[in-house]
Amino acid sequence: MSYSHRGECSISGIGATDFSRKSGRSVVALASEAATRAIADAGLERSDIDGLVRSDYDAVQHNDLAYALGMDNISYWGATGVGGAAPCGMVAQAVAAIVSGQATNVLVYRALNGRSGLRFGRGTAMQQAAGAPRLGGGGSYDEYFLPYGLLAPGQMFALIAQRHMYEFGTTSDDLGRIAVAVRQRANSNPAAMMYERPMTMDDYRQSRVISSPLRLFDYCLESDGACAVVVTSTERARDAPKAPAVIRAVAQSGSPDVQGGKTFPALMRPTITTYPSKYAADRLYARAGLGPADIDVAQIYDCFTITVLLELEDYGFCAKGEGGPFASSGALDPGGSLPINTAGGNLSEAYIHGMNHVLEGVRQIRGESVNQVAGASTCLVTSGIPPMTSALILAEQ
Amino acid sequence: MADQVPRPLPMTEDEDTSGYWQAASEGRLVVQECLSCHAVLHLPKPFCHHCESWDVGWREVSGDGTVFSWTVVEHQVHAAFPVPYTIVLVELVDAPGARLIGHLDGAPELTVGQPLRVRFVEPEPGVTVPTWELVS
């Protein structure tokens, strides 16, 4: 017997807070606001929600949100990660819960004070371990990295970018084209932190080096905010106020050369220029019955510009090593062949850890994005890449 | 080292990685290997997925490495690591595929494949940290 979730579930509601550098609110308050907006957008009541899925990095536990919103009907909950790898996998868990009959309407959320609270850019392990005499152990493998000053994800992705440049001749300008293309989208999105804040290639080239070869504008933002979606059966979603964004397929994937820990151990893989995204792509396209040529618009996880470049290759939009020339061809620019991160992504909308990418995917399928791609009927959404990853494809009914 | 804030010290007592730090304290660089099929298991772990053996140990390697990649950190993240400094991803010459991290002061000119040599430093009595320096 074979099972398929293809098209069985849809996203019927989306909700977000505003995005800022200092929310002045608790993380549970942010999650609650995004959740109530998503539930209202789906045309549901809080008591209709019987499932909750969160990121393993989220400070808001499932019962925290149930308590905050007085949800008295929760019968399924789950979490996935690591960190930014979560959002599409969170939707995948919701789909699994619904098609297996364990839940009916699942709320999926990500909330963080990522600028005013714990800042990933400052190195989470060092902040969380403040005052501890020794770092690492317990399967983290941090003892192999932190004593040398490898502290933050951007430093790791700088090592990866440098290696990609060595192997394939990728240039800093190639990365700059990604930063500028995504920024242009944010410039016309009133919800984006970089709304009406343009950035040119010259601005990019003149921006300060953070960790070579990566510059300031190769880095995502650090943000306070929350995003949430409601996942339900496509049949039920047809009764919602908005057209269903059908979840054509979901996939989580590791890779044959998997490593433990959170982020840095991925540097120990035989290659550091191909990611679990390659394996997620194979699974996702097979489950969807679609290929990269069928994708009208993509929301590609962008903690750094190099992350986008790697995924362009791994998801088959260009050959391995060709991500740089592909970006520099103008393919990603407004009017190009592959519109990406149409709300501004992590780079320029807000760093809601990739959950904002899921919301923008839904807007594209509904036809309500501020940077609507004409006739978009399919949207690829991807999540963070180093340890294991996840992705999904949304489609019109 | 003129750091005002001491650098973080590694946890050396972890069940799966303590052998690495014990060897370092004896001036030896080791990687974990399966004692049955002799596959290198890096980062260290208690089970060999190649031959299903739990019999794992440590293989001493020469301490010669090459630059696999590097980054010059110019934005300071932590007071223990004043900028600029260089993080090097080091590939071990006699355990191909196994890599370790190195820290070089400043921003030396580097190329992929450039040779490095391990050196053992003792930032605090009882803790020895393998570090890497350029072979001139």
Side-chain angles (χ1 to χ4, degrees), chain B residues 27-31 59-66 90-96 100 116-120 131-132 135:
Chain B
R28 297 182 299 116
L29 189 70
V30 297
V31 293
R59 178 198 300 179
E60 187 168 344
V61 293
S62 66
D64 292 320
T66 59
V90 182
E91 188 140 68
L92 302 184
V93 166
D94 41 6
L100 292 165
L116 296 151
R117 174 80 199 158
V118 77
R119 183 169 64 91
F120 296 94
T131 62
W132 294 86
V135 177

Side-chain angles (χ1 to χ4, degrees), chain A residues 318-387:
Chain A
C318 60
K320 179 52 62 182
E322 295 295 316
F326 183 73
S328 285
S329 74
L332 311 176
D333 298 343
S337 60
L338 183 66
I340 67 161
N341 302 10
T342 44
N346 285 326
L347 287 167
S348 282
E349 184 189 31
Y351 183 80
I352 311 300
H353 229 170
M355 195 63 203
N356 45 325
H357 296 58
V358 178
L359 271 64
E360 177 62 9
V362 172
R363 292 187 203 103
Q364 284 289 347
I365 296 303
R366 288 176 172 180
E368 61 182 32
S369 169
V370 294
N371 292 304
Q372 184 61 41
V373 173
S377 63
T378 57
C379 183
L380 171 71
V381 185
T382 73
S383 294
I385 65 171

